[in-house]
């Protein structure tokens, strides 16, 4: 590791030290210390849960190295940020662990929202970027302390994405008249299906075994929905489904569930969700395009939000939103609150211009008696010759900047430098 500690001293007596752990040290910290920091941080999302990170750690490529930035104050660790380093396009890339699958990247710990901690972590990321790593920080909430500090730093290309959060319970009475009519029209369609003898069933997984068993159904709908589109880089990737199943097995029913809506035993919509406390997060929504006219995604979302409201949940996060008029209108129909996340990618550091080096030949003859012109290797002779030049002459080795020094030996070396520069 090129850096071990980065100290940031701010106003007052606040001193935060950042340790960068890697390999086994990072894995040990994630297993032993991370769960406590996660429990102490009320703002952390399920994307920072120990189970979620452990699942994606097991899916890392053999060339990847886990990293953990640990922010310490005088009492010990107050926050940590889980990262991974891997090769990307011939350059080492540092990105958050579980990215791009996680839709929110945050530091975890009781001090994660303190100004000094956010500044220290952002400064440590900047040091990695200056030393040659391509630092990619996607999906950092702009209202988080880390997000504000990364957004304020130069040397990054910044972009933002919108995220929609539905407050629960959904207040349909606060919607516009046209929106209420649209919701009622869709619901009448599903009531008519049930009245016509079709069996409409809404389910939500309750156990880990049920969660793992339902995932293949969701995956089939997901790939069918996005056939011919590329909303995510993982679509169609070999082994992606096995990775997700392994991660969900790690998460278990205490962190994840899948909600489904079926018509006559045929699942027409499904949604993978993560949850923590009273907040729920949509991870992978899917629907059968053959039933598009029935708007199965709306029907499932309405039933899911109603159930979550009855269980005391206060929000349902729909995650990133593609800048598409249809997607924005779809989520706006539920009185969603719009938030933003930041993606920062470090720029390639520019190399400093090189100063033209001079090739200084050996100076022999009557001006340097005693054979003392033989100074050893060519590099040593060049270094010794340039050391005798005035500072301006070393930067601009032209005759107008050369001030001849006292002594025959120095005059001979200066003349040799001028001769070498003119010959080049």
């Amino acid at each position: 590791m090129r850096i071990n500690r980065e100290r940031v001293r701010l106003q007052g007596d606040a001193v935060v030290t950042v340790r960068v752990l890697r390999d086994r040290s990072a894995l040990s910290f994630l297993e032993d210390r991370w769960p406590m920091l996660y429990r102490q941080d009320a703002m952390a999302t399920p994307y920072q849960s120990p189970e979620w990170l452990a699942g994606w750690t097991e899916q890392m490529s053999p060339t990847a190295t886990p990293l953990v930035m640990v922010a310490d104050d005088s009492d010990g660790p107050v926050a940590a940020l889980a990262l991974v380093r891997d090769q990307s396009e011939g350059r080492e890339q540092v990105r958050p662990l579980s990215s791009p699958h996680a839709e929110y990247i945050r530091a975890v710990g009781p001090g994660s929202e303190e100004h000094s901690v956010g500044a220290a972590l952002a400064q440590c990321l900047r040091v990695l970027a200056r030393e040659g790593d391509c630092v990619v920080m996607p999906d950092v909430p702009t209202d988080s302390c880390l997000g504000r500090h990364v957004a304020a730093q130069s040397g990054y290309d910044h972009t933002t994405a919108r995220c929609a959060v539905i407050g629960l319970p959904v207040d349909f009475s606060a919607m516009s008249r046209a929106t209420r009519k649209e919701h009622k029209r869709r619901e009448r369609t599903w009531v008519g299906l049930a009245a016509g003898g079709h069996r409409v069933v809404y389910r939500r997984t309750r156990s880990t075994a049920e969660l793992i068993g339902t995932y293949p159904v969701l995956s089939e709908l997901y790939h069918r929905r996005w056939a011919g589109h590329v909303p995510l880089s993982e679509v169609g990737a070999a082994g992606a489904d096995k990775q997700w199943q392994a991660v969900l097995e790690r998460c278990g029913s205490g962190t994840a569930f899948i909600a489904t809506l079926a018509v006559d035993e045929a699942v027409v919509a499904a949604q993978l969700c993560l949850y923590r406390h009273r907040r729920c997060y949509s991870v992978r929504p899917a629907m059968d395009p053959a039933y598009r006219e029935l708007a199965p995604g709306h029907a499932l979302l309405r039933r899911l939000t109603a159930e979550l409201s009855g269980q005391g949940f206060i929000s349902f996060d729909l995650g990133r939103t593609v800048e598409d008029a249809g997607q924005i209108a779809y989520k706006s129909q539920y009185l969603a609150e719009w938030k933003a996340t930041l993606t920062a990618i470090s720029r390639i550091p520019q190399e400093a211009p090189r100063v033209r080096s001079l090739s200084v030949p050996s100076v022999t003859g009557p001006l340097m008696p005693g054979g003392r012109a033989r100074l050893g290797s060519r590099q040593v002779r060049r270094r010794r010759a340039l050391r005798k030049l005035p500072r301006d002459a070393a930067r601009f080795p032209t005759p107008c900047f050369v001030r001849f020094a006292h002594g025959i030996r120095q005059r001979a070396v200066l003349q040799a430098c001028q001769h070498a520069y003119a010959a080049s």
Side-chain angles (χ1 to χ4, degrees):
M1 179 61 59
R2 288 185 290 272
I3 65 173
N4 293 318
R5 290 182 180 270
E6 182 68 21
R7 295 180 183 272
V8 177
R9 185 183 295 273
L10 303 174
Q11 293 180 354
D13 298 327
V15 178
V16 176
T17 302
V18 178
R19 296 178 284 143
V20 182
L21 308 177
R22 66 170 182 173
D23 293 334
R24 293 183 179 179
S25 299
L27 295 177
S28 297
F29 188 93
L30 288 173
E31 184 177 352
D32 301 333
R33 305 297 297 275
W34 189 277
M36 178 61 71
L37 294 177
Y38 179 69
R39 287 193 295 270
Q40 294 174 338
D41 189 350
M43 299 298 294
T45 72
Y47 297 111
Q48 286 78 55
S49 67
E51 297 81 12
W52 171 268
L53 293 180
W56 287 112
T57 299
E58 294 172 351
Q59 309 307 315
M60 289 192 310
S61 66
T63 59
T65 301
L67 307 176
V68 177
M69 287 185 180
V70 184
D72 296 298
D73 63 7
S74 58
D75 297 325
V78 293
L81 182 63
L83 304 168
V84 62
R85 171 184 277 137
D86 203 353
Q87 289 287 333
S88 177
E89 298 180 358
R91 187 182 176 199
E92 286 191 340
Q93 183 184 93
V94 174
R95 57 178 174 80
L97 181 60
S98 81
S99 174
H101 311 288
E103 299 201 357
Y104 292 106
I105 300 300
R106 306 181 66 100
V108 168
S112 60
E113 290 302 308
E114 293 181 6
H115 177 74
S116 57
V117 173
L121 292 173
Q123 178 64 18
C124 197
L125 290 170
R126 190 175 184 180
V127 170
L128 290 176
R130 284 203 305 258
E131 294 186 348
D133 285 322
C134 177
V135 177
V136 180
M137 290 297 295
D139 305 308
V140 183
T142 55
D143 59 356
S144 68
C145 185
L146 179 62
R148 291 191 295 269
H149 281 286
V150 172
Q153 287 188 338
S154 60
Y156 290 93
D157 292 322
H158 298 105
T159 58
T160 57
R162 291 201 282 180
C163 301
V165 182
I166 300 175
L168 299 180
V170 179
D171 187 3
F172 290 95
S173 63
M175 299 177 181
S176 66
R177 183 178 180 183
T179 302
R180 291 199 306 270
K181 289 179 64 176
E182 188 65 19
H183 279 294
K184 290 179 180 179
R185 183 189 66 80
R186 294 195 193 97
E187 192 59 25
R188 281 198 302 269
T189 301
W190 287 88
V191 172
L193 281 175
H198 295 280
R199 188 164 176 250
V200 179
V201 179
Y202 163 79
R203 283 197 183 97
R204 177 180 151 191
T205 60
R206 308 290 176 180
S207 65
T208 302
E210 195 176 1
L211 172 68
I212 302 303
T214 308
Y215 178 80
V217 177
L218 179 141
S219 178
E220 182 182 355
L221 289 179
Y222 185 83
H223 290 284
R224 193 184 306 169
R225 166 66 179 86
W226 297 110
H229 301 79
V230 190
L232 294 174
S233 60
E234 67 177 280
V235 175
D241 288 335
K242 291 184 178 179
Q243 290 183 341
W244 273 101
Q245 284 183 309
V247 172
L248 292 179
E249 191 169 359
R250 270 283 198 168
C251 291
S253 58
T255 304
F257 67 83
I258 296 177
T260 59
L261 183 64
V263 177
D264 297 333
E265 303 301 328
V267 177
V268 296
Q271 198 153 11
L272 169 63
C273 301
L274 302 179
Y275 66 96
R276 187 191 186 208
H277 301 325
R278 296 194 296 164
R279 301 181 186 274
C280 189
Y281 300 79
S282 173
V283 183
R284 299 186 92 189
M287 57 162 282
D288 191 338
Y291 292 82
R292 188 185 303 272
E293 293 182 358
L294 297 177
H298 276 287
L300 174 61
L301 182 58
R302 182 163 182 145
R303 285 158 175 75
L304 176 57
T305 53
E307 181 187 15
L308 293 175
S309 299
Q311 294 178 350
F313 282 77
I314 61 174
S315 68
F316 185 71
D317 197 314
L318 298 176
R320 342 181 162 97
T321 301
V322 180
E323 289 300 324
D324 176 77
Q327 284 290 313
I328 294 173
Y330 165 74
K331 297 180 179 181
S332 297
Q333 291 185 33
Y334 294 86
L335 300 178
E337 177 186 359
W338 292 97
K339 298 185 177 183
T341 58
L342 171 76
T343 294
I345 303 176
S346 64
R347 303 190 190 104
I348 299 176
Q350 300 293 325
E351 293 185 2
R354 296 182 180 180
V355 179
R356 186 177 183 180
S357 62
L358 296 178
S359 177
V360 182
S362 291
V363 181
T364 58
L367 292 177
M368 302 191 70
R372 288 181 294 174
R374 300 182 180 277
L375 303 177
S377 69
R378 184 179 181 183
Q379 183 178 6
V380 173
R381 291 198 302 272
R382 184 187 304 120
R383 190 186 307 118
R384 291 182 180 178
L386 292 178
R387 193 159 49 231
K388 295 178 183 297
L389 290 173
R391 181 173 301 176
D392 289 342
R395 293 177 58 196
F396 308 97
T398 59
C400 62
F401 283 93
V402 176
R403 287 176 266 163
F404 288 98
H406 297 289
I408 296 176
R409 177 183 174 88
Q410 291 183 343
R411 186 179 297 111
V413 173
L414 291 171
Q415 290 174 351
C417 288
Q418 294 181 45
H419 174 73
Y421 182 79
S424 62

